[in-house]
Amino acid sequence: MAPPHARSPRTLLATGLNGAPLDPDHGYPVRLIAPNRPGVLQTKWVTRVAPA
């Protein structure tokens, strides 16, 4: 992911949707959400989180 999105305070890691855990089709166990990126470019499977 490009640094502007990775460092944005609006980028988040979601563990659920509407009060329920994510299912495998939606990126279980964690899905990355980066505003201003098209949905098809959202990283679905997070493999590591680098220190800030």
Side-chain angles (χ1 to χ4, degrees), residues 5-48:
H5 294 293
R7 293 188 178 111
S8 171
R10 296 180 61 211
T11 297
L12 58 92
L13 295 173
T15 59
L17 178 65
N18 295 326
L22 292 174
D23 61 45
D25 289 339
H26 289 121
Y28 174 86
V30 177
R31 183 171 185 163
L32 181 119
I33 306 297
N36 298 320
R37 278 179 58 104
V40 297
L41 297 178
Q42 298 287 2
T43 304
K44 279 188 122 178
W45 290 274
V46 177
T47 58
R48 71 182 181 98

